[in-house]
């Protein structure tokens, strides 16, 4: 998980607490103006707190009696406060800090120092928004993957039927997700013509990993080059641009969709190679999806890029009749 994310989330918590405190001050000033006696009560309660610690410090042997009377005084004041609030139609918790998470009081950590569930949720949400995958794609996942739409008839001169082939790809993909934390250097290359489920399966993998709290970035090769060019050639680098650029290298899984649709030139070759290579060196995983076949890839990219891709990736070919024309599916695969 990227350190910047965590720092940003902690800053958000800090801001939230600041806002909660400012809002409380504002509410107090309003209420005190309306019912001045409430300010007197609050001041008294605050002073009693100081008294209490003084009593315990100066009379450590025999403070119980005094503490009891002090406590009685506080209770009385609190009671009076509650009555005044009720009489003036002010909610009882109006003069308390309003944290949005009562488990951690917007600190992000619970009492035992563990990440609060709101913190974990934020990490997942952040990962989702960074991934470029919208929440609507949540319904493209391993559970909704319908293997039955793949033909079980022999296809051209392939050994496996499209369905058998897809079962194999599915099991490799699920293994990829399940063993994602293992340092096994596994990368995937999905290749084959459009309409055979590559995008759907990319989404399944992305979703499963996002739900595990991983940072997944899903970009087309075209968009990646745009980010790289902008980063290289712009003098003023906005924080967003910096983050998009760094994420290409730092995210847990980079999905490069549609490799081969971008214009390839020397710049492209070097940059695509640079990202893929950098990630391999850092033990970060990459999933590439392309409509090119292996010969096209070798022709389109320099030897360095193609040998990297072929050497360090599990190559999975999608083949079969185009699913988008099948009557039993209207989904855009
Ligand atoms: Zn919380």
């Amino acid at each position: 998980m990227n350190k910047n994310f965590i720092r940003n989330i902690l800053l958000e918590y800090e801001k939230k607490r600041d806002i909660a405190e400012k809002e409380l001050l504002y509410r107090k000033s309003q209420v005190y103006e309306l019912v001045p006696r409430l300010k007197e009560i609050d001041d008294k309660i605050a002073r009693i707190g100081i008294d209490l610690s003084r009593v315990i410090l100066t009379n450590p042997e025999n403070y119980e009696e005094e503490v009891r009377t002090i406590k009685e005084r506080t209770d009385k004041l609190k009671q009076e406060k509650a009555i005044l609030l009720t009489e003036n139609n002010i909610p009882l918790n109006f003069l308390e800090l309003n944290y949005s998470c009562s488990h951690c009081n917007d600190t992000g950590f619970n009492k035992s120092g563990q990440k609060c569930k709101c913190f974990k949720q934020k990490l997942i949400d952040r990962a989702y928004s960074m991934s470029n995958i919208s929440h609507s794609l949540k319904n493209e996942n391993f559970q909704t993957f319908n293997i039955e739409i793949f033909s079980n008839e022999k296809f051209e001169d392939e050994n496996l039927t499209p369905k058998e082939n897809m079962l194999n790809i599915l099991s490799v993909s699920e293994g990829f997700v399940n063993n994602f934390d293992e340092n096994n250097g596994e990368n995937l290359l999905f290749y084959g013509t459009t309409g055979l489920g590559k995008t759907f399966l990319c989404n399944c993998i992305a979703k499963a990993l996002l739900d595990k709290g991983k940072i997944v970035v899903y970009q087309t090769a075209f968009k990646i080059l745009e980010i790289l060019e902008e980063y290289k050639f712009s003098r003023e680098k906005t924080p967003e641009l910096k983050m998009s650029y760094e994420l290409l290298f730092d995210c847990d899984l980079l999905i490069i969709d549609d490799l081969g649709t971008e214009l390839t030139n020397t710049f492209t070759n070097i940059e695509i190679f640079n990202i893929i290579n950098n990630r391999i060196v850092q033990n970060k995983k990459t999933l590439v999806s392309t409509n090119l076949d292996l010969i096209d890839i070798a022709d389109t990219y320099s030897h360095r890029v193609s040998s990297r891709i072929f050497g360090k990736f599990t190559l999975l070919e999608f083949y079969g009749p185009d699913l988008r024309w099948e009557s039993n599916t209207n989904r855009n695969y």
Side-chain angles (χ1 to χ4, degrees):
M1 188 71 65
N2 191 307
K3 275 190 195 117
N4 278 341
F5 285 164
I6 296 182
R7 204 177 55 214
N8 287 341
I9 292 173
L10 290 175
L11 277 174
E12 261 173 36
Y13 277 123
E14 208 175 298
K15 260 188 218 156
K16 257 190 181 171
R17 294 197 304 271
D18 270 0
I19 290 171
E21 278 160 30
K22 276 194 191 117
E23 283 175 351
L24 176 64
L25 279 179
Y26 178 69
R27 289 199 303 277
K28 272 185 176 169
S29 70
Q30 276 184 312
V31 169
Y32 292 162
E33 212 175 282
L34 189 72
V35 193
R37 173 66 188 152
L38 280 169
K39 176 161 174 41
E40 288 172 29
I41 294 174
D42 277 349
D43 287 349
K44 273 189 186 162
I45 292 175
R47 239 176 288 136
I48 286 172
I50 300 168
D51 284 353
L52 198 63
S53 37
R54 192 180 43 80
V55 164
I56 295 170
L57 282 172
T58 54
N59 192 3
E61 305 297 311
N62 203 7
Y63 59 82
E64 274 102 355
E65 180 59 25
E66 252 183 291
V67 168
R68 206 165 52 79
T69 48
I70 287 176
K71 205 177 164 306
E72 272 169 21
R73 263 165 60 211
T74 326
D75 286 347
K76 245 186 208 158
L77 287 166
K78 283 186 178 163
Q79 219 175 9
E80 192 191 342
K81 184 176 171 180
I83 291 167
L84 279 171
L85 287 170
T86 314
E87 279 175 359
N88 289 281
N89 290 323
I90 302 165
L92 286 177
N93 60 1
F94 197 69
L95 295 181
E96 282 162 21
L97 276 167
N98 271 336
Y99 292 119
S100 48
C101 177
S102 58
H103 299 285
C104 68
N105 287 352
D106 296 348
T107 60
F109 295 90
N110 60 24
K111 286 195 185 91
S112 49
Q114 307 280 1
K115 276 196 198 99
C116 182
K117 55 185 172 188
C118 72
F119 196 149
K120 288 181 190 162
Q121 187 58 49
K122 273 180 207 294
L123 287 174
I124 293 172
D125 289 350
R126 189 69 51 115
Y128 257 104
S129 67
M130 289 295 157
S131 70
N132 207 26
I133 296 170
S134 75
H135 284 263
S136 64
L137 289 181
K138 273 185 174 175
N139 49 14
E140 298 201 348
N141 54 56
F142 284 118
Q143 282 73 43
T144 60
F145 192 96
N146 182 9
I147 189 70
E148 297 310 321
I149 61 175
F150 295 90
S151 154
N152 212 10
E153 314 264 305
K154 188 169 165 54
F155 183 77
E156 294 173 357
D157 51 2
E158 301 289 351
N159 287 329
L160 300 177
T161 67
K163 187 174 180 177
E164 288 165 343
N165 180 49
M166 190 46 72
L167 278 170
N168 178 41
I169 294 175
L170 202 55
S171 113
V172 172
S173 301
E174 283 176 324
F176 180 76
V177 167
N178 293 336
N179 304 321
F180 191 79
D181 286 328
E182 275 172 37
N183 201 353
N184 53 12
E186 194 180 15
N187 300 288
L188 302 181
L189 174 74
F190 290 171
Y191 69 102
T193 49
T194 52
L196 294 171
K198 291 196 302 290
T199 304
F200 193 102
L201 211 52
C202 284
N203 286 332
C204 294
I205 291 174
K207 154 96 171 95
L209 291 173
L210 284 165
D211 289 346
K212 283 185 163 187
K214 302 291 173 201
I215 306 278
V216 179
V217 171
Y218 194 132
Q219 293 285 18
T220 60
F222 186 78
K223 179 71 195 168
I224 289 175
L225 286 175
E226 254 182 25
I227 296 171
L228 293 173
E229 278 180 41
E230 215 186 323
Y231 188 83
K232 271 235 151 105
F233 301 118
S234 70
R235 239 182 283 160
E236 197 88 355
K237 291 177 179 54
T238 62
E240 288 76 23
L241 177 61
K242 260 190 94 179
M243 183 170 246
S244 316
Y245 176 80
E246 284 168 3
L247 272 173
L248 297 174
F249 297 88
D250 295 342
C251 65
D252 297 318
L253 175 67
L254 175 66
I255 301 178
I256 306 177
D257 196 11
D258 255 353
L259 184 81
T261 49
E262 76 284 0
L263 288 169
T264 46
N265 52 37
T266 316
F267 177 79
T268 318
N269 268 322
I270 292 171
E271 292 307 320
I272 294 271
F273 171 77
N274 188 24
I275 294 180
I276 294 177
N277 195 46
N278 216 292
R279 295 184 59 83
I280 289 170
V281 170
Q282 284 190 68
N283 289 317
K284 301 252 180 198
K285 297 181 178 182
T286 309
L287 163 55
V288 175
S289 164
T290 178
N291 298 333
L292 301 176
D293 63 31
L294 298 183
I295 296 164
D296 289 337
I297 296 177
D299 284 348
T300 310
Y301 296 94
S302 71
H303 180 68
R304 284 203 306 171
V305 177
S306 45
S307 65
R308 255 310 184 198
I309 295 177
F310 296 146
K312 299 280 184 177
F313 281 70
T314 305
L315 309 178
L316 296 165
E317 188 186 6
F318 287 60
Y319 57 77
D322 188 337
L323 293 169
R324 284 177 298 188
W325 309 110
E326 298 276 313
S327 57
N328 52 359
T329 174
N330 52 11
R331 212 179 241 137
N332 185 16
Y333 270 82

